[in-house]
Amino acid sequence: MATELAVALTTEDDLLSRQELRARLLAVGEARYHHRHPFHVRMHQGELTRGQLQAWALNRYYYQSRIPIKDALLLAKSDDPAFRRTWRKRILDHDGDQDGYGGVEKWIQLAEATGLDRSSVISYRGILPGVIFAVDAYLALVRDSSLLVAVASSLTELFSRDLISLRMDKMRLHYPYLIPGLAYFEGRLTQAPEDAAFALDYVSTHARTAAEQQQVIRALERKCEILWAQLDAIDYAYVEPGYIPPGCFVPGESSSAASKTR
Amino acid sequence: MATELAVALTTEDDLLSRQELRARLLAVGEARYHHRHPFHVRMHQGELTRGQLQAWALNRYYYQSRIPIKDALLLAKSDDPAFRRTWRKRILDHDGDQDGYGGVEKWIQLAEATGLDRSSVISYRGILPGVIFAVDAYLALVRDSSLLVAVASSLTELFSRDLISLRMDKMRLHYPYLIPGLAYFEGRLTQAPEDAAFALDYVSTHARTAAEQQQVIRALERKCEILWAQLDAIDYAYVEPGYIPPGCFVPGESSSAASKTR
């Protein structure tokens, strides 16, 4: 109720307080974050086949593999060593170091738990063009926008902890063969909230005009669209109606798990 | 058969003759051009509702509106005045001149024939993010690639005449309310083959190595993926299963024909 009230009482021309801005951002997530997407709903109800989870893990690998690249593009926008030191943690989280694997490697392990070969995952063969276009739009958004907008586009992490907690419970329940691959989500349970808190504080401090605050809100909406569109493409190709575009991954077809033409 | 033979007898390392390259490009179109997409099949069988055709016309307007921008990006890559003079015709075809409307305006008329308001079409409100990401990938491909690859990405026009002829027949038959809006397709019946012949001659002359010929083939494949992914997004949102993403056009909802938030 408090959130709805703060949203209702402001217009695009008003400079929002930190609390009002936060309420607006939370309202965007409630309406548009992909926890509401039908594909995730099915996943959590245990309705997906192993082949459908393979298609999801394979396609989402393209997104995961671009995250440290996105973070490097973002880091390159800042001339503040303190900011860069903080943001650098994200690259380390995904790429790892001598002490352990990073998120990209952990995602490959999740894909392996679905039954995919590592080599077919890291080949990028058979990825849906719709997923590639959405993820590349994220890189372009970060590369071509201000640092403020780039940071704001990461704010979906405000919502990821709840989704990941739910997903881990449901995967253990409905798809126990995935349990060896859940390390990625374990890591994100603590990383995502830390990252989100920093980003929220950053945009609250650096969006100093109503127009800049609107840019922040719009960036979060666009990022939600980028996540949602990936699931649209996966759901369309592999669940309902199940029309796989030419050249894309076909579950159960050969050990390379993807056509040779992509 | 001649096409299949030429395709079968070449590998990626061979320099193809003009005829072999043409055969390879035609084979790409046969397998991957969007004349095969389920949404187009439904359209031609008369199975689409007026609201579904509205959604198609509205979303495809984003593609149409980017075409002259794409052509300007491409024109800017050439330092040959003769090439630029020839390619300039495409911008004129879409933007028009004092003697008549161009293709962009004619597409708006098609959208109006579906029952949409002109103002809602040109507002770009309610466009599917999946369509935006695919079309923007086309602009990025042309902007960031060589002139050769950019020209090759236009080669889908080799296949458009047959699709447009069929579509016009089927629209007159199944959706007679669209007849006042068919001027766009009338124009493309002659423009597309002229443009395609020039582009095919250009890539045949300027792809001088096997690697460059493979770039040309891959560019056409990617362009087919860009067209296909747009229909995936439209079909998913408005036909089957019909899950409209947050903030996108809802057929029959208000005169502005799109939500206020996009």
Side-chain angles (χ1 to χ4, degrees), chain A residues 203-238:
Chain A
V203 302
S204 300
T205 304
H206 290 84
R208 296 196 180 90
T209 66
E212 286 175 340
Q213 290 180 333
Q214 290 303 316
Q215 289 171 16
V216 164
I217 293 165
R218 181 65 196 121
L220 178 58
E221 287 181 347
R222 177 48 56 116
K223 173 66 175 304
C224 287
E225 292 166 0
I226 286 164
L227 296 175
W228 194 279
Q230 292 177 59
L231 292 180
D232 281 357
I234 292 167
D235 208 31
Y236 182 76
Y238 296 105

Short mmCIF file of all heavy atoms in Angstrom, two decimals, chain A residues 203-238:
data_model
loop_
_atom_site.label_atom_id
_atom_site.label_comp_id
_atom_site.label_asym_id
_atom_site.label_seq_id
_atom_site.Cartn_x
_atom_site.Cartn_y
_atom_site.Cartn_z
N VAL A 203 22.01 5.44 -8.03
CA VAL A 203 21.04 6.18 -8.84
C VAL A 203 20.26 7.18 -7.98
O VAL A 203 19.90 8.26 -8.46
CB VAL A 203 20.07 5.26 -9.62
CG1 VAL A 203 20.84 4.31 -10.53
CG2 VAL A 203 19.14 4.49 -8.68
N SER A 204 20.02 6.85 -6.73
CA SER A 204 19.31 7.79 -5.85
C SER A 204 20.13 9.06 -5.63
O SER A 204 19.59 10.16 -5.54
CB SER A 204 19.01 7.13 -4.50
OG SER A 204 18.22 5.97 -4.68
N THR A 205 21.44 8.90 -5.56
CA THR A 205 22.32 10.04 -5.33
C THR A 205 22.57 10.83 -6.61
O THR A 205 22.64 12.06 -6.58
CB THR A 205 23.67 9.53 -4.77
OG1 THR A 205 23.42 8.77 -3.59
CG2 THR A 205 24.61 10.69 -4.47
N HIS A 206 22.70 10.15 -7.74
CA HIS A 206 23.17 10.80 -8.97
C HIS A 206 22.06 11.22 -9.93
O HIS A 206 22.34 11.96 -10.88
CB HIS A 206 24.19 9.90 -9.68
CG HIS A 206 25.49 9.80 -8.94
ND1 HIS A 206 25.68 8.91 -7.89
CD2 HIS A 206 26.65 10.49 -9.06
CE1 HIS A 206 26.91 9.04 -7.41
NE2 HIS A 206 27.52 10.00 -8.10
N ALA A 207 20.84 10.77 -9.73
CA ALA A 207 19.73 11.28 -10.53
C ALA A 207 19.21 12.52 -9.82
O ALA A 207 18.45 12.42 -8.85
CB ALA A 207 18.64 10.23 -10.68
N ARG A 208 19.66 13.69 -10.28
CA ARG A 208 19.41 14.92 -9.51
C ARG A 208 18.26 15.75 -10.04
O ARG A 208 17.85 16.72 -9.42
CB ARG A 208 20.68 15.78 -9.47
CG ARG A 208 21.83 15.10 -8.75
CD ARG A 208 22.93 16.08 -8.38
NE ARG A 208 24.01 15.39 -7.69
CZ ARG A 208 25.07 14.84 -8.29
NH1 ARG A 208 25.19 14.93 -9.61
NH2 ARG A 208 26.00 14.23 -7.59
N THR A 209 17.75 15.39 -11.23
CA THR A 209 16.60 16.11 -11.79
C THR A 209 15.47 15.12 -12.02
O THR A 209 15.69 13.90 -12.07
CB THR A 209 16.95 16.76 -13.14
OG1 THR A 209 17.21 15.73 -14.10
CG2 THR A 209 18.20 17.65 -13.02
N ALA A 210 14.26 15.67 -12.20
CA ALA A 210 13.12 14.79 -12.50
C ALA A 210 13.38 14.03 -13.79
O ALA A 210 13.03 12.84 -13.90
CB ALA A 210 11.85 15.62 -12.62
N ALA A 211 14.00 14.69 -14.78
CA ALA A 211 14.27 14.02 -16.06
C ALA A 211 15.24 12.85 -15.87
O ALA A 211 15.06 11.77 -16.46
CB ALA A 211 14.84 15.02 -17.07
N GLU A 212 16.26 13.06 -15.05
CA GLU A 212 17.20 11.96 -14.80
C GLU A 212 16.53 10.82 -14.05
O GLU A 212 16.81 9.64 -14.30
CB GLU A 212 18.43 12.48 -14.03
CG GLU A 212 19.35 13.30 -14.92
CD GLU A 212 20.51 13.92 -14.15
OE1 GLU A 212 20.43 14.06 -12.91
OE2 GLU A 212 21.50 14.29 -14.81
N GLN A 213 15.66 11.16 -13.13
CA GLN A 213 14.93 10.09 -12.42
C GLN A 213 14.05 9.30 -13.39
O GLN A 213 13.95 8.07 -13.28
CB GLN A 213 14.10 10.69 -11.29
CG GLN A 213 14.95 11.22 -10.14
CD GLN A 213 14.12 11.81 -9.02
OE1 GLN A 213 13.00 12.29 -9.24
NE2 GLN A 213 14.67 11.81 -7.81
N GLN A 214 13.44 10.01 -14.34
CA GLN A 214 12.64 9.29 -15.35
C GLN A 214 13.52 8.39 -16.21
O GLN A 214 13.10 7.30 -16.62
CB GLN A 214 11.86 10.28 -16.23
CG GLN A 214 10.73 11.00 -15.49
CD GLN A 214 9.72 10.04 -14.88
OE1 GLN A 214 9.30 9.07 -15.49
NE2 GLN A 214 9.34 10.31 -13.63
N GLN A 215 14.73 8.84 -16.52
CA GLN A 215 15.67 7.99 -17.27
C GLN A 215 15.98 6.71 -16.50
O GLN A 215 16.10 5.63 -17.08
CB GLN A 215 16.97 8.74 -17.55
CG GLN A 215 16.85 9.85 -18.58
CD GLN A 215 18.13 10.69 -18.64
OE1 GLN A 215 19.18 10.28 -18.15
NE2 GLN A 215 18.03 11.87 -19.24
N VAL A 216 16.14 6.87 -15.19
CA VAL A 216 16.44 5.71 -14.33
C VAL A 216 15.28 4.72 -14.37
O VAL A 216 15.47 3.50 -14.54
CB VAL A 216 16.74 6.17 -12.90
CG1 VAL A 216 16.66 5.01 -11.91
CG2 VAL A 216 18.11 6.85 -12.84
N ILE A 217 14.07 5.23 -14.22
CA ILE A 217 12.89 4.36 -14.22
C ILE A 217 12.74 3.67 -15.58
O ILE A 217 12.49 2.47 -15.67
CB ILE A 217 11.63 5.19 -13.87
CG1 ILE A 217 11.72 5.68 -12.42
CG2 ILE A 217 10.36 4.37 -14.10
CD1 ILE A 217 10.73 6.78 -12.08
N ARG A 218 12.94 4.45 -16.65
CA ARG A 218 12.82 3.89 -18.00
C ARG A 218 13.90 2.83 -18.26
O ARG A 218 13.65 1.82 -18.93
CB ARG A 218 12.90 5.01 -19.04
CG ARG A 218 12.76 4.55 -20.47
CD ARG A 218 11.36 3.98 -20.75
NE ARG A 218 11.35 3.21 -21.99
CZ ARG A 218 11.03 1.92 -22.08
NH1 ARG A 218 10.64 1.25 -21.01
NH2 ARG A 218 11.06 1.30 -23.23
N ALA A 219 15.09 3.05 -17.72
CA ALA A 219 16.17 2.06 -17.91
C ALA A 219 15.80 0.73 -17.26
O ALA A 219 16.06 -0.35 -17.81
CB ALA A 219 17.48 2.59 -17.33
N LEU A 220 15.18 0.82 -16.07
CA LEU A 220 14.76 -0.42 -15.41
C LEU A 220 13.65 -1.10 -16.21
O LEU A 220 13.64 -2.34 -16.35
CB LEU A 220 14.32 -0.13 -13.98
CG LEU A 220 13.80 -1.33 -13.19
CD1 LEU A 220 14.85 -2.44 -13.11
CD2 LEU A 220 13.35 -0.92 -11.80
N GLU A 221 12.71 -0.32 -16.73
CA GLU A 221 11.66 -0.91 -17.58
C GLU A 221 12.28 -1.62 -18.78
O GLU A 221 11.90 -2.74 -19.12
CB GLU A 221 10.70 0.18 -18.07
CG GLU A 221 9.76 0.73 -17.02
CD GLU A 221 8.81 1.78 -17.57
OE1 GLU A 221 9.03 2.27 -18.71
OE2 GLU A 221 7.86 2.14 -16.85
N ARG A 222 13.21 -0.95 -19.43
CA ARG A 222 13.83 -1.54 -20.62
C ARG A 222 14.56 -2.84 -20.28
O ARG A 222 14.47 -3.82 -20.99
CB ARG A 222 14.77 -0.52 -21.29
CG ARG A 222 15.57 -0.99 -22.51
CD ARG A 222 14.76 -1.72 -23.57
NE ARG A 222 13.63 -1.01 -24.12
CZ ARG A 222 13.51 -0.63 -25.39
NH1 ARG A 222 14.47 -0.87 -26.23
NH2 ARG A 222 12.41 -0.04 -25.80
N LYS A 223 15.24 -2.82 -19.13
CA LYS A 223 15.93 -4.04 -18.73
C LYS A 223 14.93 -5.17 -18.46
O LYS A 223 15.18 -6.33 -18.84
CB LYS A 223 16.78 -3.79 -17.48
CG LYS A 223 17.40 -5.03 -16.87
CD LYS A 223 18.44 -5.67 -17.76
CE LYS A 223 19.11 -6.83 -17.01
NZ LYS A 223 19.70 -6.39 -15.71
N CYS A 224 13.80 -4.83 -17.84
CA CYS A 224 12.76 -5.85 -17.65
C CYS A 224 12.29 -6.38 -19.01
O CYS A 224 12.05 -7.59 -19.16
CB CYS A 224 11.57 -5.26 -16.87
SG CYS A 224 11.90 -4.99 -15.11
N GLU A 225 12.16 -5.50 -19.99
CA GLU A 225 11.74 -5.94 -21.33
C GLU A 225 12.78 -6.88 -21.93
O GLU A 225 12.43 -7.83 -22.65
CB GLU A 225 11.55 -4.72 -22.23
CG GLU A 225 10.37 -3.86 -21.84
CD GLU A 225 10.34 -2.48 -22.49
OE1 GLU A 225 11.27 -2.18 -23.28
OE2 GLU A 225 9.42 -1.71 -22.21
N ILE A 226 14.05 -6.60 -21.68
CA ILE A 226 15.13 -7.44 -22.21
C ILE A 226 15.07 -8.84 -21.60
O ILE A 226 15.26 -9.84 -22.31
CB ILE A 226 16.49 -6.74 -21.95
CG1 ILE A 226 16.65 -5.56 -22.91
CG2 ILE A 226 17.66 -7.72 -22.06
CD1 ILE A 226 17.74 -4.58 -22.53
N LEU A 227 14.81 -8.93 -20.32
CA LEU A 227 14.68 -10.25 -19.68
C LEU A 227 13.42 -10.96 -20.17
O LEU A 227 13.43 -12.16 -20.48
CB LEU A 227 14.65 -10.09 -18.16
CG LEU A 227 15.93 -9.54 -17.51
CD1 LEU A 227 15.71 -9.32 -16.01
CD2 LEU A 227 17.11 -10.47 -17.74
N TRP A 228 12.32 -10.23 -20.24
CA TRP A 228 11.03 -10.80 -20.63
C TRP A 228 11.08 -11.34 -22.07
O TRP A 228 10.58 -12.43 -22.36
CB TRP A 228 9.94 -9.73 -20.49
CG TRP A 228 8.53 -10.22 -20.54
CD1 TRP A 228 7.82 -10.52 -21.67
CD2 TRP A 228 7.67 -10.48 -19.44
NE1 TRP A 228 6.56 -10.94 -21.34
CE2 TRP A 228 6.44 -10.92 -19.98
CE3 TRP A 228 7.80 -10.38 -18.07
CZ2 TRP A 228 5.35 -11.27 -19.17
CZ3 TRP A 228 6.71 -10.72 -17.26
CH2 TRP A 228 5.51 -11.16 -17.81
N ALA A 229 11.67 -10.57 -22.96
CA ALA A 229 11.71 -10.95 -24.38
C ALA A 229 12.50 -12.25 -24.58
O ALA A 229 12.19 -13.04 -25.49
CB ALA A 229 12.30 -9.83 -25.22
N GLN A 230 13.51 -12.47 -23.75
CA GLN A 230 14.26 -13.73 -23.85
C GLN A 230 13.34 -14.92 -23.56
O GLN A 230 13.38 -15.94 -24.25
CB GLN A 230 15.44 -13.74 -22.88
CG GLN A 230 16.54 -12.75 -23.24
CD GLN A 230 17.65 -12.75 -22.21
OE1 GLN A 230 18.27 -13.76 -21.95
NE2 GLN A 230 17.89 -11.60 -21.60
N LEU A 231 12.52 -14.77 -22.53
CA LEU A 231 11.61 -15.87 -22.18
C LEU A 231 10.49 -16.02 -23.21
O LEU A 231 10.04 -17.13 -23.47
CB LEU A 231 11.05 -15.66 -20.77
CG LEU A 231 12.06 -15.79 -19.64
CD1 LEU A 231 11.38 -15.57 -18.30
CD2 LEU A 231 12.74 -17.15 -19.66
N ASP A 232 10.03 -14.90 -23.78
CA ASP A 232 9.07 -15.01 -24.88
C ASP A 232 9.63 -15.91 -25.98
O ASP A 232 8.94 -16.80 -26.49
CB ASP A 232 8.79 -13.62 -25.50
CG ASP A 232 7.83 -12.76 -24.70
OD1 ASP A 232 7.29 -13.21 -23.67
OD2 ASP A 232 7.62 -11.60 -25.11
N ALA A 233 10.87 -15.64 -26.37
CA ALA A 233 11.47 -16.39 -27.48
C ALA A 233 11.62 -17.87 -27.11
O ALA A 233 11.36 -18.76 -27.93
CB ALA A 233 12.83 -15.79 -27.85
N ILE A 234 12.05 -18.13 -25.86
CA ILE A 234 12.25 -19.52 -25.43
C ILE A 234 10.91 -20.24 -25.32
O ILE A 234 10.76 -21.39 -25.77
CB ILE A 234 13.00 -19.54 -24.07
CG1 ILE A 234 14.44 -19.04 -24.27
CG2 ILE A 234 13.00 -20.94 -23.47
CD1 ILE A 234 15.17 -18.73 -22.96
N ASP A 235 9.92 -19.57 -24.74
CA ASP A 235 8.59 -20.18 -24.58
C ASP A 235 7.98 -20.49 -25.95
O ASP A 235 7.43 -21.58 -26.17
CB ASP A 235 7.70 -19.22 -23.79
CG ASP A 235 6.60 -19.92 -22.99
OD1 ASP A 235 6.81 -21.06 -22.54
OD2 ASP A 235 5.53 -19.31 -22.81
N TYR A 236 8.07 -19.53 -26.87
CA TYR A 236 7.49 -19.71 -28.21
C TYR A 236 8.14 -20.89 -28.93
O TYR A 236 7.45 -21.71 -29.55
CB TYR A 236 7.69 -18.43 -29.03
CG TYR A 236 7.08 -18.49 -30.42
CD1 TYR A 236 5.71 -18.36 -30.59
CD2 TYR A 236 7.88 -18.67 -31.55
CE1 TYR A 236 5.14 -18.41 -31.86
CE2 TYR A 236 7.33 -18.72 -32.81
CZ TYR A 236 5.95 -18.59 -32.97
OH TYR A 236 5.40 -18.65 -34.22
N ALA A 237 9.46 -20.99 -28.83
CA ALA A 237 10.17 -22.02 -29.59
C ALA A 237 10.03 -23.40 -28.97
O ALA A 237 9.95 -24.40 -29.70
CB ALA A 237 11.65 -21.65 -29.69
N TYR A 238 9.99 -23.46 -27.63
CA TYR A 238 10.15 -24.77 -26.98
C TYR A 238 8.95 -25.23 -26.15
O TYR A 238 8.92 -26.38 -25.71
CB TYR A 238 11.42 -24.77 -26.12
CG TYR A 238 12.65 -24.60 -26.98
CD1 TYR A 238 13.34 -23.39 -27.03
CD2 TYR A 238 13.08 -25.63 -27.82
CE1 TYR A 238 14.44 -23.23 -27.86
CE2 TYR A 238 14.17 -25.49 -28.66
CZ TYR A 238 14.85 -24.27 -28.67
OH TYR A 238 15.92 -24.12 -29.52
#
